[in-house]
Protein backbone atom coordinates (compact mmCIF):
# COMPACT_ATOMS: atom_id res chain seq x y z
CA UNK A 1 0.00 0.00 0.00
CA UNK A 2 1.56 3.29 -1.02
CA UNK A 3 0.31 6.87 -1.12
CA UNK A 4 2.40 9.57 -2.73
CA UNK A 5 2.10 13.28 -2.37
CA UNK A 6 4.52 15.64 -3.95
CA UNK A 7 4.72 19.21 -2.73
CA UNK A 8 4.75 21.67 -5.60
CA UNK A 9 7.50 24.24 -5.99
CA UNK A 10 4.95 26.93 -5.25
CA UNK A 11 3.99 25.14 -2.02
CA UNK A 12 7.65 25.06 -1.08
CA UNK A 13 8.29 28.68 -1.87
CA UNK A 14 10.71 28.54 -4.77
CA UNK A 15 13.17 26.29 -6.59
CA UNK A 16 16.84 25.34 -6.76
CA UNK A 17 19.44 25.22 -3.96
CA UNK A 18 18.53 28.65 -2.69
CA UNK A 19 15.42 27.28 -1.00
CA UNK A 20 17.51 25.28 1.46
CA UNK A 21 17.01 26.77 4.89
CA UNK A 22 19.00 24.26 6.96
CA UNK A 23 22.66 24.27 7.92
CA UNK A 24 25.64 22.59 6.23
CA UNK A 25 28.69 21.62 8.29
CA UNK A 26 31.87 20.69 6.44
CA UNK A 27 34.42 18.06 7.56
CA UNK A 28 32.34 17.54 10.66
CA UNK A 29 33.88 15.04 13.14
CA UNK A 30 31.25 12.33 13.44
CA UNK A 31 32.58 11.36 16.87
CA UNK A 32 30.43 14.27 18.06
CA UNK A 33 27.32 12.58 16.69
CA UNK A 34 27.74 8.88 17.54
CA UNK A 35 27.51 7.26 20.96
CA UNK A 36 30.89 5.51 20.58
CA UNK A 37 32.48 8.97 20.50
CA UNK A 38 34.96 7.71 17.89
CA UNK A 39 35.40 7.79 14.13
CA UNK A 40 36.12 9.99 11.16
CA UNK A 41 34.62 13.12 9.67
CA UNK A 42 31.73 13.58 7.29
CA UNK A 43 32.63 15.74 4.30
CA UNK A 44 29.17 17.32 4.44
CA UNK A 45 26.61 17.21 7.21
CA UNK A 46 23.20 18.78 6.77
CA UNK A 47 20.83 19.77 9.55
CA UNK A 48 17.47 20.40 7.90
CA UNK A 49 15.28 23.28 9.04
CA UNK A 50 12.17 21.09 8.85
CA UNK A 51 10.59 18.33 6.79
CA UNK A 52 9.92 20.52 3.77
CA UNK A 53 13.55 21.61 3.78
CA UNK A 54 14.66 17.98 4.00
CA UNK A 55 12.63 17.09 0.90
CA UNK A 56 14.38 19.93 -0.96
CA UNK A 57 17.79 18.74 0.17
CA UNK A 58 17.12 15.21 -1.09
CA UNK A 59 15.96 16.57 -4.46
CA UNK A 60 19.07 18.70 -4.79
CA UNK A 61 21.60 15.87 -4.28
CA UNK A 62 22.67 14.04 -7.45
CA UNK A 63 21.54 10.40 -7.54
CA UNK A 64 25.13 9.07 -7.43
CA UNK A 65 25.91 10.81 -4.13
CA UNK A 66 25.15 8.76 -1.04
CA UNK A 67 22.81 10.15 1.60
CA UNK A 68 23.11 8.83 5.17
CA UNK A 69 20.28 9.56 7.61
CA UNK A 70 21.55 9.60 11.17
CA UNK A 71 19.51 9.78 14.34
CA UNK A 72 21.37 9.73 17.63
CA UNK A 73 24.18 7.57 16.25
CA UNK A 74 23.67 4.98 18.98
CA UNK A 75 24.10 2.06 16.63
CA UNK A 76 26.63 3.51 14.22
CA UNK A 77 30.37 3.50 13.57
CA UNK A 78 31.89 5.92 11.06
CA UNK A 79 35.27 4.70 9.81
CA UNK A 80 38.32 6.88 10.42
CA UNK A 81 38.72 7.71 6.71
CA UNK A 82 35.43 9.61 6.91
CA UNK A 83 32.21 9.37 5.01
CA UNK A 84 31.45 10.63 1.50
CA UNK A 85 28.18 12.09 0.36
CA UNK A 86 25.85 13.87 2.75
CA UNK A 87 25.10 12.91 6.33
CA UNK A 88 21.71 14.25 7.45
CA UNK A 89 21.17 14.70 11.18
CA UNK A 90 17.52 14.19 12.06
CA UNK A 91 17.69 14.37 15.82
CA UNK A 92 16.19 17.61 17.03
CA UNK A 93 14.61 18.32 13.65
CA UNK A 94 11.66 16.02 12.97
CA UNK A 95 10.32 16.20 16.50
CA UNK A 96 6.54 16.20 16.27
CA UNK A 97 4.75 13.80 18.58
CA UNK A 98 0.97 13.73 19.01
CA UNK A 99 -2.07 11.60 19.73
CA UNK A 100 -4.03 10.97 16.56
CA UNK A 101 -7.49 9.59 15.93
CA UNK A 102 -6.62 7.68 12.77
CA UNK A 103 -3.97 7.19 10.10
CA UNK A 104 -4.52 8.48 6.57
CA UNK A 105 -6.41 6.04 4.39
CA UNK A 106 -7.69 3.93 7.30
CA UNK A 107 -11.11 4.05 8.95
CA UNK A 108 -11.08 5.38 12.53
CA UNK A 109 -11.27 2.73 15.27
CA UNK A 110 -14.69 2.42 17.02
CA UNK A 111 -15.24 4.96 19.84
CA UNK A 112 -15.03 2.18 22.47
CA UNK A 113 -11.66 0.94 21.10
CA UNK A 114 -9.25 -0.14 23.82
CA UNK A 115 -6.29 1.25 21.88
CA UNK A 116 -4.87 4.66 21.08
CA UNK A 117 -2.66 5.97 18.28
CA UNK A 118 0.51 8.07 18.53
CA UNK A 119 2.22 9.73 15.60
CA UNK A 120 5.91 10.32 16.24
CA UNK A 121 8.41 11.80 13.80
CA UNK A 122 11.81 10.28 13.14
CA UNK A 123 13.83 12.76 15.23
CA UNK A 124 11.91 12.15 18.47
CA UNK A 125 14.04 10.27 21.01
CA UNK A 126 12.64 6.76 21.62
CA UNK A 127 12.58 7.30 25.43
CA UNK A 128 10.38 10.36 24.85
CA UNK A 129 7.92 8.19 22.91
CA UNK A 130 7.83 5.75 25.87
CA UNK A 131 7.11 8.56 28.35
CA UNK A 132 4.59 10.29 26.06
CA UNK A 133 2.63 7.03 25.78
CA UNK A 134 2.64 6.44 29.55
CA UNK A 135 1.60 10.03 30.22
CA UNK A 136 -1.43 9.49 27.96
CA UNK A 137 -2.36 6.19 29.61
CA UNK A 138 -1.21 4.14 26.65
CA UNK A 139 0.77 1.02 27.52
CA UNK A 140 3.13 -1.41 25.82
CA UNK A 141 5.75 1.14 24.73
CA UNK A 142 7.79 1.04 27.95
CA UNK A 143 10.67 -0.82 26.27
CA UNK A 144 11.57 2.30 24.21
CA UNK A 145 12.60 4.05 27.43
CA UNK A 146 15.97 2.27 27.48
CA UNK A 147 16.80 2.63 23.78
CA UNK A 148 18.99 5.73 23.43
CA UNK A 149 18.16 6.40 19.78
CA UNK A 150 15.52 8.19 17.76
CA UNK A 151 12.16 6.92 16.54
CA UNK A 152 13.63 6.85 12.98
CA UNK A 153 16.55 4.71 14.15
CA UNK A 154 14.20 2.44 16.11
CA UNK A 155 12.02 1.91 13.01
CA UNK A 156 15.04 1.36 10.74
CA UNK A 157 16.62 -1.13 13.17
CA UNK A 158 13.36 -2.64 14.45
CA UNK A 159 14.83 -1.84 17.85
CA UNK A 160 13.56 -3.84 20.77
CA UNK A 161 14.21 -5.48 24.09
CA UNK A 162 12.54 -7.51 26.83
CA UNK A 163 10.38 -9.32 24.28
CA UNK A 164 9.01 -6.26 22.43
CA UNK A 165 10.00 -4.80 19.09
CA UNK A 166 9.25 -1.47 17.42
CA UNK A 167 7.37 -2.96 14.46
CA UNK A 168 5.01 -4.86 16.84
CA UNK A 169 3.47 -1.47 17.58
CA UNK A 170 3.64 0.21 14.14
CA UNK A 171 0.56 0.43 11.95
CA UNK A 172 1.90 2.80 9.31
CA UNK A 173 5.11 4.64 8.45
CA UNK A 174 5.79 7.80 6.51
CA UNK A 175 8.87 7.75 4.31
CA UNK A 176 10.83 10.06 2.04
CA UNK A 177 12.23 8.67 -1.18
CA UNK A 178 15.20 9.65 -3.30
CA UNK A 179 12.96 11.82 -5.52
CA UNK A 180 11.94 13.86 -2.50
CA UNK A 181 8.43 12.37 -2.40
CA UNK A 182 6.67 11.52 0.83
CA UNK A 183 5.06 8.07 0.92
CA UNK A 184 3.08 6.05 3.40
CA UNK A 185 3.49 2.34 3.88
CA UNK A 186 1.98 -0.38 6.02
CA UNK A 187 3.92 -3.16 7.76
CA UNK A 188 2.90 -5.65 5.04
CA UNK A 189 5.05 -3.65 2.58
CA UNK A 190 8.18 -4.63 4.56
CA UNK A 191 10.26 -7.68 5.34
CA UNK A 192 10.54 -7.30 9.10
CA UNK A 193 12.87 -9.31 11.27
CA UNK A 194 15.19 -9.19 14.23
CA UNK A 195 16.84 -5.74 14.12
CA UNK A 196 15.85 -5.47 10.49
CA UNK A 197 13.14 -3.83 8.36
CA UNK A 198 13.39 -3.40 4.58
CA UNK A 199 10.88 -2.59 1.89
CA UNK A 200 9.88 -5.68 -0.09
CA UNK A 201 10.34 -3.74 -3.32
CA UNK A 202 13.75 -2.21 -2.71
CA UNK A 203 13.64 1.58 -2.94
CA UNK A 204 15.93 4.00 -1.23
CA UNK A 205 13.59 5.51 1.34
CA UNK A 206 14.06 6.93 4.80
CA UNK A 207 11.67 7.03 7.72
CA UNK A 208 10.06 10.36 8.49
CA UNK A 209 7.71 9.10 11.18
CA UNK A 210 5.38 6.35 12.27
CA UNK A 211 1.92 5.71 13.73
CA UNK A 212 2.09 3.48 16.80
CA UNK A 213 -0.97 1.70 18.19
CA UNK A 214 -0.83 1.00 21.92
CA UNK A 215 -3.32 -0.40 24.43
CA UNK A 216 -5.22 1.86 26.81
CA UNK A 217 -4.12 1.25 30.37
CA UNK A 218 -2.70 2.64 33.57
CA UNK A 219 -0.09 5.33 32.92
CA UNK A 220 1.17 5.23 36.50
CA UNK A 221 1.86 1.48 36.24
CA UNK A 222 3.53 2.10 32.89
CA UNK A 223 5.89 4.71 34.43
CA UNK A 224 6.75 2.20 37.17
CA UNK A 225 7.62 -0.43 34.53
CA UNK A 226 9.86 2.16 32.83
CA UNK A 227 11.66 2.82 36.13
CA UNK A 228 12.24 -0.89 36.70
CA UNK A 229 13.49 -1.45 33.13
CA UNK A 230 15.95 1.43 33.45
CA UNK A 231 17.24 0.06 36.77
CA UNK A 232 17.78 -3.32 35.12
CA UNK A 233 19.79 -1.67 32.34
CA UNK A 234 21.98 0.33 34.68
CA UNK A 235 22.81 -2.90 36.52
CA UNK A 236 23.60 -4.89 33.37
CA UNK A 237 25.17 -2.42 30.91
CA UNK A 238 28.41 -0.38 30.94
CA UNK A 239 26.61 2.96 30.64
CA UNK A 240 29.51 4.92 32.16
CA UNK A 241 31.62 4.50 29.00
CA UNK A 242 30.83 5.36 25.36
CA UNK A 243 29.37 2.32 23.56
CA UNK A 244 26.81 1.43 20.89
CA UNK A 245 24.73 -1.14 22.74
CA UNK A 246 24.83 -4.73 21.56
CA UNK A 247 27.41 -5.12 18.82
CA UNK A 248 26.09 -8.48 17.57
CA UNK A 249 22.61 -9.94 17.18
CA UNK A 250 21.81 -12.82 19.48
CA UNK A 251 21.95 -16.08 17.49
CA UNK A 252 18.68 -18.09 17.61
CA UNK A 253 18.31 -19.66 21.06
CA UNK A 254 21.55 -18.21 22.37
CA UNK A 255 23.22 -14.99 23.47
CA UNK A 256 26.11 -13.30 21.69
CA UNK A 257 27.47 -12.18 25.09
CA UNK A 258 27.60 -15.81 26.30
CA UNK A 259 29.53 -16.93 23.22
CA UNK A 260 31.98 -14.01 23.44
CA UNK A 261 32.62 -14.79 27.10
CA UNK A 262 32.97 -18.50 26.31
CA UNK A 263 35.59 -17.59 23.69
CA UNK A 264 37.61 -15.91 26.48
CA UNK A 265 37.23 -12.42 25.05
CA UNK A 266 35.69 -10.52 27.98
CA UNK A 267 38.03 -7.59 28.65
CA UNK A 268 39.97 -8.14 25.40
CA UNK A 269 41.36 -4.85 24.14
CA UNK A 270 42.62 -3.35 20.88
CA UNK A 271 43.90 0.17 21.42
CA UNK A 272 41.29 1.88 23.56
CA UNK A 273 38.45 -0.37 22.37
CA UNK A 274 37.58 -3.05 24.90
CA UNK A 275 35.07 -5.89 25.21
CA UNK A 276 33.15 -4.67 28.24
CA UNK A 277 33.84 -6.45 31.52
CA UNK A 278 30.20 -5.85 32.45
CA UNK A 279 28.46 -7.07 29.28
CA UNK A 280 30.51 -8.99 26.72
CA UNK A 281 28.30 -7.99 23.76
CA UNK A 282 29.22 -4.33 24.35
CA UNK A 283 32.45 -2.72 23.12
CA UNK A 284 33.39 0.31 25.18
CA UNK A 285 35.62 3.24 24.30
CA UNK A 286 38.10 3.60 27.16
CA UNK A 287 39.03 7.12 26.04
CA UNK A 288 40.82 7.43 22.73
CA UNK A 289 39.53 4.47 20.72
CA UNK A 290 39.59 4.97 16.97
CA UNK A 291 36.96 3.50 14.66
CA UNK A 292 39.75 1.21 13.41
CA UNK A 293 40.35 -0.09 16.96
CA UNK A 294 36.63 -0.82 17.29
CA UNK A 295 36.26 -2.44 13.87
CA UNK A 296 39.42 -4.57 14.37
CA UNK A 297 38.01 -5.73 17.71
CA UNK A 298 34.67 -6.58 16.05
CA UNK A 299 36.50 -8.64 13.39
CA UNK A 300 38.66 -10.34 16.03
CA UNK A 301 35.55 -11.32 18.04
CA UNK A 302 33.89 -12.74 14.91
CA UNK A 303 36.94 -14.86 14.09
CA UNK A 304 37.66 -16.14 17.59
CA UNK A 305 34.01 -16.90 18.42
CA UNK A 306 33.62 -18.80 15.15
CA UNK A 307 36.82 -20.77 15.72
CA UNK A 308 35.87 -21.71 19.29
CA UNK A 309 32.08 -22.18 19.02
CA UNK A 310 31.35 -22.72 15.32
CA UNK A 311 28.91 -19.79 15.37
CA UNK A 312 29.46 -16.83 13.05
CA UNK A 313 28.07 -13.79 14.84
CA UNK A 314 26.01 -11.32 12.81
CA UNK A 315 26.62 -7.60 13.41
CA UNK A 316 23.86 -5.44 14.80
CA UNK A 317 25.83 -2.18 14.61
CA UNK A 318 26.03 -0.41 11.27
CA UNK A 319 29.41 0.67 9.87
CA UNK A 320 29.78 3.36 7.20
CA UNK A 321 32.62 5.31 5.60
CA UNK A 322 36.11 4.64 4.36
CA UNK A 323 39.00 2.87 6.05
CA UNK A 324 42.01 5.06 6.72
C1 LIG B 1 23.51 1.88 25.81
C2 LIG B 1 22.77 1.39 24.60
C3 LIG B 1 21.74 0.48 24.75
C4 LIG B 1 21.04 0.03 23.63
N1 LIG B 1 20.01 -0.86 23.82
C5 LIG B 1 19.31 -1.30 22.75
C6 LIG B 1 18.23 -2.21 22.92
O1 LIG B 1 17.88 -2.60 24.02
N2 LIG B 1 17.58 -2.63 21.82
C7 LIG B 1 17.93 -2.21 20.57
O2 LIG B 1 17.30 -2.63 19.60
N3 LIG B 1 18.96 -1.34 20.38
C8 LIG B 1 19.65 -0.88 21.43
N4 LIG B 1 20.68 -0.01 21.25
C9 LIG B 1 21.08 0.38 19.88
C10 LIG B 1 20.41 1.66 19.34
O3 LIG B 1 20.06 2.54 20.41
C11 LIG B 1 19.17 1.35 18.51
O4 LIG B 1 19.48 0.56 17.39
C12 LIG B 1 18.49 2.64 18.04
O5 LIG B 1 17.23 2.32 17.51
C13 LIG B 1 19.30 3.40 17.00
O6 LIG B 1 18.70 4.69 16.83
P1 LIG B 1 19.58 5.92 16.37
O7 LIG B 1 18.68 7.07 16.20
O8 LIG B 1 20.70 6.13 17.33
O9 LIG B 1 20.10 5.40 14.99
P2 LIG B 1 21.53 5.66 14.33
O10 LIG B 1 22.58 4.97 15.13
O11 LIG B 1 21.70 7.10 14.08
O12 LIG B 1 21.36 4.87 12.97
C14 LIG B 1 21.29 3.45 12.96
C15 LIG B 1 20.90 3.01 11.55
O13 LIG B 1 19.58 3.42 11.27
C16 LIG B 1 19.56 4.27 10.12
N5 LIG B 1 18.60 5.33 10.35
C17 LIG B 1 18.55 6.20 11.38
N6 LIG B 1 17.51 7.02 11.24
C18 LIG B 1 16.89 6.67 10.09
C19 LIG B 1 15.74 7.14 9.41
N7 LIG B 1 15.01 8.15 9.84
N8 LIG B 1 15.38 6.52 8.25
C20 LIG B 1 16.10 5.47 7.78
N9 LIG B 1 17.20 5.00 8.38
C21 LIG B 1 17.59 5.58 9.54
C22 LIG B 1 20.97 4.82 9.99
O14 LIG B 1 21.25 5.19 8.66
C23 LIG B 1 21.79 3.63 10.47
O15 LIG B 1 21.94 2.69 9.43
C24 LIG B 1 21.41 0.48 22.35
C25 LIG B 1 22.44 1.41 22.20
C26 LIG B 1 23.12 1.87 23.31
C27 LIG B 1 24.22 2.88 23.15
Amino acid sequence: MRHNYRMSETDMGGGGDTVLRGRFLYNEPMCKHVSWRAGGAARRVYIPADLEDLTWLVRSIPAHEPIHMVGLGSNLLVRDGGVRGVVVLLHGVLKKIALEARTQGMPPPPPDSDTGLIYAQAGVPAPKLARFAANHNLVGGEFWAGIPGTVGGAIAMNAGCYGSETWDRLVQVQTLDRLGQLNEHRPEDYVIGYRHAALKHAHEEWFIGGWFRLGKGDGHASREIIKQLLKKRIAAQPLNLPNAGSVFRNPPGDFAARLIELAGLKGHRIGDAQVSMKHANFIVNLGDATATDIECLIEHIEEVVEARTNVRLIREVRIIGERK
Side-chain angles (χ1 to χ4, degrees), residues 274-298:
Q274 186 185 40
V275 177
S276 165
M277 294 300 291
K278 198 164 177 182
H279 191 311
N281 197 16
F282 279 51
I283 290 178
V284 292
N285 178 354
L286 296 175
D288 290 321
T290 60
T292 309
D293 293 338
I294 294 170
E295 194 170 2
C296 287
L297 187 52
I298 291 172

Side-chain angles (χ1 to χ4, degrees), residues 69 71-75 90 148-150 153-154 159-160 195 207 233 243 245 318:
M69 296 290 169
L72 277 159
S74 62
N75 204 44
L90 294 181
T150 57
R195 304 295 169 267
F207 297 104
R233 282 182 171 258
N243 68 77
R318 303 271 177 97

Side-chain angles (χ1 to χ4, degrees), residues 1-15:
M1 167 108 196
R2 180 178 163 139
H3 308 278
N4 296 329
Y5 45 94
R6 180 190 270 279
M7 294 183 198
S8 72
E9 281 201 1
T10 350
D11 291 335
M12 311 280 257

Side-chain angles (χ1 to χ4, degrees), residues 74-125:
S74 62
N75 204 44
L76 192 64
L77 184 66
V78 178
R79 291 193 176 106
D80 295 316
V83 60
R84 288 206 202 107
V86 181
V87 168
V88 182
L89 298 180
L90 294 181
H91 168 56
V93 179
L94 302 180
K95 49 189 182 188
K96 181 181 169 195
I97 181 164
L99 291 178
E100 291 210 345
R102 59 194 281 184
T103 62
Q104 252 186 5
M106 278 177 98
D112 59 347
S113 164
D114 56 0
T115 65
L117 195 64
I118 298 175
Y119 172 69
Q121 280 190 327
V124 171

Side-chain angles (χ1 to χ4, degrees), residues 33-36 67-77 90-91 94 122-123 126 143 146-162 166 194-195 205-209 233 237-239 242-246 282 316-320:
H33 304 286
V34 301
S35 60
W36 251 320
I67 300 177
H68 304 278
M69 296 290 169
V70 171
L72 277 159
S74 62
N75 204 44
L76 192 64
L77 184 66
L90 294 181
H91 168 56
L94 302 180
F143 70 100
I147 298 177
T150 57
V151 164
I155 299 175
M157 297 302 302
N158 191 16
C161 51
Y162 308 124
T166 298
Y194 175 42
R195 304 295 169 267
E205 293 195 3
W206 303 280
F207 297 104
I208 293 306
R233 282 182 171 258
Q237 299 180 353
L239 303 181
N243 68 77
S246 295
F282 279 51
E316 184 172 321
V317 291
R318 303 271 177 97
I319 302 180
I320 59 171

Side-chain angles (χ1 to χ4, degrees), residues 215-277:
K216 287 183 182 159
D218 178 354
H220 176 72
S222 181
R223 285 190 291 277
E224 275 309 305
I225 295 173
I226 288 176
K227 261 193 215 158
Q228 294 311 317
L229 293 182
L230 292 179
K231 258 193 197 164
K232 218 165 145 179
R233 282 182 171 258
I234 292 166
Q237 299 180 353
L239 303 181
N240 58 331
L241 289 169
N243 68 77
S246 295
V247 173
F248 299 100
R249 300 181 191 175
N250 286 322
D254 208 336
F255 293 98
R258 190 190 78 82
L259 297 173
I260 296 166
E261 213 171 326
L262 194 71
L265 290 170
K266 207 169 188 178
H268 190 83
R269 186 170 165 177
I270 294 180
D272 257 358
Q274 186 185 40
V275 177
S276 165
M277 294 300 291

